[in-house]
Amino acid sequence: MFVNEKEKILEFIDTIIDKHGIERTSLLPILGEIQEKFKCVPEFAQQRVAKIMDIHPVEVYSVVSFYSFLNVEKKGKYILRVCRSVSCDLAGKEKVVNILERELGLKIGETSADKKYTLEYTNCMGLCDEAPSLAINDQVYTKLTTEKLYQILSEIKENK
Amino acid sequence: MTEKIRKRDGLIIFSEYEKFSGLKKALSLSQDDILFELKSSNLKGRGGAGFPISTKWMLTAAAQSSEKYVVCNADEGEPGTFKDRVLLKEMPYLIFEGMIIAGYTIGAKKGIVYLRGEYNYLVNPLNEFLDEMKNENLLGENILGKDFSFEIEIFSGHGAYVCGEETALLESLEGQRGEARNRPPFPVNRGYKGFPTTVNNVESLSTVPHIIMKGGSWYSQFGTEKSKGTKLISVSGDCEKPGVYEIEWGTSIYDLLELVKAENTKAVQVGGASGVCVNKSQFDRTIAYEDLSTGGSIMIFNESRNMLAILKNFMEFFVEESCGQCTPCRIGNQKLLAFVEKIIQNEQTFSELNKIKELAETMKIASKCGLGQSSPNPFLSILENFKEEIFDSNSRGKYEHV
């Protein structure tokens, strides 16, 4: 990670601490905000949070490693999550995955070298009546067809 | 207020309702009156566990403490369940009214909605709705001029199925790993931050304003002897009309399949991944706490589907979502999945099958929380109800595809 990125993250932590406070109940909201902005919660960030909240860094790591939406390694600007639960599976999740893997040049679980895209599976997103479904960051897309997927992809590719 | 309401038909939750009327009426009643109505309604927890709401509230109300909390469990993660999403999106007022009524009844000043991370796109609309409620004095200090104040906060989850379990949810709210707690003490005595807390499902809370308006005895006229009222079910899979339906408890699988226009149905999974799978000969069974209990998920599989592949999908889910703190669940689910993979390779033996069934039964009683206690359900029911298909590799077709 570049030095200035590291500084940016540490600075960011300092700016959001006041809003959340240093009670333990604020830990997840703080980590969530770091994750959302930088697509990761790296070790030095965990240490800074631990120091401010006066808890052991291992406590913070234990939380980061538990939740699937928090991660140490940097993920892409666009995190594409394909639902793999049964209803989406019945509706053709495999085809969705094939198209995304081909178009993005990534396998499930991988992040592109330019840190723009991450492709992964997720469990049921509660969109089973509109399967198959996909989430890109917080935005959800349902009843996916080949055409719809191409359109979604061209939209995010244009968005630099 | 900005929400769009799609017209849905239903006996109770999806019936005509004037926004905030239940809340307004509740605040004019005494706490005892509210508890009485809830008790006579026989409303049970709609997340799936079915614990009587009136008992939970009564215990929390009776607990002596300087602080109490109302927590709304909106961590709807059971595969195939999406009824809470529809309520959160289209009828948030019902949920918030239910929470405020709960706070008024048990003596809490704060409510927290634990919203699953997958529903993050609902955070802004929900917060906007809360702001509007504050402007109308339906939230905040001295609500509607009464000597009662209440606030509601939305808390985002970060992608963990097990946090739907109420004590794991509380751990998560407190900034910990979402690992279930030992009980007792129960949350009604020691919940959020150690204070008495009532944790209720979105649907249970949404039912409360209707019961307040029309009375507990009116509510209990619907349903069966042991399951009163109605249930929202989320129907998905092989049918023409998937979606959320409000049905009376006691509806048979047959009637349900007709309602959603499902044809050539081979199997129905009732209760999500942790529920049971029934075959054709059991379609006369009913959806009720005493028969086929469900938190709302109904998944329909037609004749073309491969039950073994479906079972594998369920077991992979549990292996991934087990929080790992107790051995029966952490190791047990891996063993069950490994056995499913063995069947796929045609390498299973019958002595092994018997042992693995024993293990599944052990998981049900030895696991610490609902996850490991219920994850053997699909395994046992699919192996039992679809044995011919599963143990005859010729009739199964290609296993890679559901």
Side-chain angles (χ1 to χ4, degrees):
Chain A
M1 198 167 288
F2 296 116
V3 179
N4 57 1
E5 169 98 337
K6 184 174 170 178
E7 271 163 17
K8 252 194 231 162
I9 295 178
L10 293 176
E11 229 167 77
F12 180 74
I13 294 171
D14 292 342
T15 59
I16 61 168
I17 280 293
D18 278 347
K19 183 174 76 189
H20 292 287
I22 57 166
E23 247 194 284
R24 179 69 190 247
T25 49
S26 306
L27 182 58
L28 267 175
I30 290 171
L31 297 177
E33 225 177 298
I34 301 168
Q35 170 76 36
E36 196 190 330
K37 191 158 167 96
F38 299 100
K39 306 295 172 188
C40 60
V41 188
E43 272 161 21
F44 60 83
Q46 296 173 27
Q47 280 160 5
R48 172 66 64 104
V49 172
K51 192 166 180 210
I52 296 172
M53 297 184 80
D54 198 21
I55 50 179
H56 198 283
V58 162
E59 292 267 330
V60 180
Y61 179 70
S62 78
V63 170
V64 172
S65 60
F66 184 85
Y67 294 93
S68 55
F69 289 177
L70 299 175
N71 41 271
V72 181
E73 294 297 322
K74 195 171 176 72
K75 288 197 176 171
K77 181 177 170 199
Y78 295 101
I79 303 176
L80 292 90
R81 295 192 170 101
V82 183
C83 176
R84 66 161 158 213
S85 285
V86 168
S87 298
C88 283
D89 206 352
L90 297 176
K93 139 223 111 174
E94 214 156 279
K95 200 172 151 190
V96 173
V97 170
N98 288 342
I99 292 174
L100 291 176
E101 285 189 334
R102 197 170 60 227
E103 290 297 320
L104 297 172
L106 296 172
K107 291 276 169 217
I108 286 280
E110 290 180 350
T111 297
S112 62
D114 62 357
K115 304 283 179 209
K116 197 162 173 198
Y117 308 106
T118 295
L119 181 60
E120 55 187 32
Y121 275 134
T122 187
N123 287 322
C124 189
M125 296 192 286
L127 298 161
C128 326
D129 54 337
E130 300 173 41
S133 63
L134 159 78
I136 303 179
N137 299 338
D138 280 344
Q139 179 93 28
V140 292
Y141 301 87
T142 57
K143 291 184 179 167
L144 297 171
T145 57
T146 310
E147 205 178 320
K148 228 173 171 177
L149 273 173
Y150 285 142
Q151 200 192 331
I152 294 164
L153 284 172
S154 67
E155 269 167 34
I156 61 170
K157 277 181 179 170
E158 273 166 33
N159 245 328
K160 294 195 177 129
Chain B
M1 308 273 168
T2 51
E3 88 288 0
K4 279 187 222 128
I5 298 177
R6 239 191 299 163
K7 185 78 186 151
R8 291 171 189 273
D9 296 322
L11 283 169
I12 297 165
I13 294 187
F14 290 159
S15 66
E16 285 283 312
Y17 176 79
E18 191 197 328
K19 244 186 271 174
F20 306 121
S21 55
L23 172 62
K24 286 171 186 163
K25 185 174 174 193
L27 294 185
S28 71
L29 300 173
S30 75
Q31 280 80 354
D32 287 343
D33 288 340
I34 295 174
L35 288 171
F36 176 80
E37 290 303 337
L38 283 177
K39 188 155 176 55
S40 60
S41 76
N42 269 310
L43 175 64
K44 291 180 183 175
R46 294 294 192 246
F51 190 79
I53 304 296
S54 61
T55 312
K56 209 179 241 186
W57 287 19
M58 228 179 277
L59 290 168
T60 326
Q64 297 291 321
S65 174
S66 56
E67 276 178 55
K68 292 181 188 179
Y69 291 93
V70 175
V71 172
C72 169
N73 185 344
D75 192 56
E76 177 180 56
E78 188 64 50
T81 316
F82 46 93
K83 56 166 183 93
D84 293 348
R85 182 198 86 215
V86 169
L87 288 174
L88 288 157
K89 211 169 167 181
E90 300 182 14
M91 304 172 172
Y93 51 89
L94 278 181
I95 306 163
F96 296 145
E97 281 179 68
M99 290 178 74
I100 301 167
I101 296 170
Y104 175 70
T105 310
I106 66 166
K109 290 196 177 71
K110 183 159 183 185
I112 305 170
V113 179
Y114 187 96
L115 185 75
R116 62 186 306 221
E118 288 84 347
Y119 290 172
N120 262 347
Y121 53 90
L122 293 172
V123 171
N124 285 338
L126 288 174
N127 274 326
E128 278 165 27
F129 196 88
L130 287 174
D131 285 340
E132 288 177 52
M133 283 178 71
K134 272 179 219 153
N135 290 339
E136 294 181 30
N137 192 219
L138 296 160
L139 266 177
E141 299 292 317
N142 299 88
I143 295 173
L144 298 173
K146 305 275 173 193
D147 183 23
F148 165 65
S149 305
F150 196 75
E151 52 174 308
I152 294 178
E153 179 196 324
I154 313 281
F155 187 98
S156 285
H158 287 88
Y161 167 74
V162 71
C163 289
E165 199 279 341
E166 63 174 3
T167 60
L169 186 154
L170 292 171
E171 285 289 307
S172 180
L173 275 181
E174 292 179 9
Q176 309 280 353
R177 294 160 68 85
E179 291 177 352
R181 296 173 181 173
N182 283 322
R183 284 171 294 184
F186 290 92
V188 291
N189 292 316
R190 280 174 63 187
Y192 181 57
K193 295 198 280 188
F195 296 108
T197 304
T198 174
V199 184
N200 294 116
N201 175 264
V202 168
E203 185 185 346
S204 314
L205 289 166
S206 302
T207 311
V208 170
H210 287 280
I211 292 173
I212 297 294
M213 283 314 282
K214 293 184 181 151
S217 52
W218 166 82
Y219 184 82
S220 67
Q221 67 177 309
F222 302 106
T224 70
E225 187 68 30
K226 286 181 180 156
S227 312
K228 298 294 186 193
T230 59
K231 178 82 191 95
L232 294 188
I233 52 164
S234 327
V235 183
S236 64
D238 297 317
C239 66
E240 217 174 284
K241 293 162 76 181
V244 177
Y245 294 82
E246 182 172 15
I247 57 160
E248 229 180 311
W249 286 106
T251 302
S252 72
I253 300 287
Y254 269 125
D255 291 343
L256 189 65
L257 291 174
E258 209 177 282
L259 182 70
V260 302
K261 295 206 164 30
E263 278 172 7
N264 296 321
T265 306
K266 171 160 81 175
V268 178
Q269 176 81 15
V270 184
S274 66
V276 293
C277 197
V278 293
N279 63 23
K280 268 186 196 158
S281 71
Q282 299 160 309
F283 286 177
D284 55 345
R285 290 181 65 181
T286 57
I287 294 171
Y289 288 112
E290 62 272 25
D291 192 357
L292 292 168
S293 182
T294 173
S297 167
I298 305 282
M299 290 186 273
I300 300 170
F301 309 126
N302 70 22
E303 294 287 356
S304 73
R305 305 300 182 178
N306 179 333
M307 296 313 292
L308 197 54
I310 289 168
L311 176 58
K312 184 169 174 237
N313 185 310
F314 287 147
M315 295 326 295
E316 283 171 342
F317 171 74
F318 289 120
V319 167
E320 185 177 310
E321 294 292 352
S322 170
C323 83
Q325 69 163 325
C326 78
T327 316
C329 177
R330 183 183 65 244
I331 309 287
N333 282 311
Q334 290 176 9
K335 295 277 178 200
L336 300 192
L337 174 61
F339 188 73
V340 172
E341 278 162 352
K342 262 195 167 171
I343 304 176
I344 289 170
Q345 303 298 332
N346 270 321
E347 286 169 358
Q348 81 284 4
T349 65
F350 272 91
S351 63
E352 219 176 344
L353 173 67
N354 291 334
K355 272 207 180 123
I356 207 89
K357 278 186 178 166
E358 229 173 85
L359 173 67
E361 295 295 343
T362 307
M363 288 168 66
K364 280 190 182 181
I365 45 175
S367 294
K368 190 171 174 182
C369 83
L371 198 158
Q373 288 162 10
S374 59
S375 67
N377 286 339
F379 182 85
L380 290 168
S381 62
I382 290 179
L383 287 192
E384 179 58 31
N385 293 333
F386 301 91
K387 353 181 192 279
E388 291 85 6
E389 175 186 333
I390 282 187
F391 293 109
D392 175 3
S393 56
N394 296 325
S395 73
R396 286 205 291 265
K398 278 180 79 176
Y399 73 85
E400 292 95 338
H401 299 291
V402 288

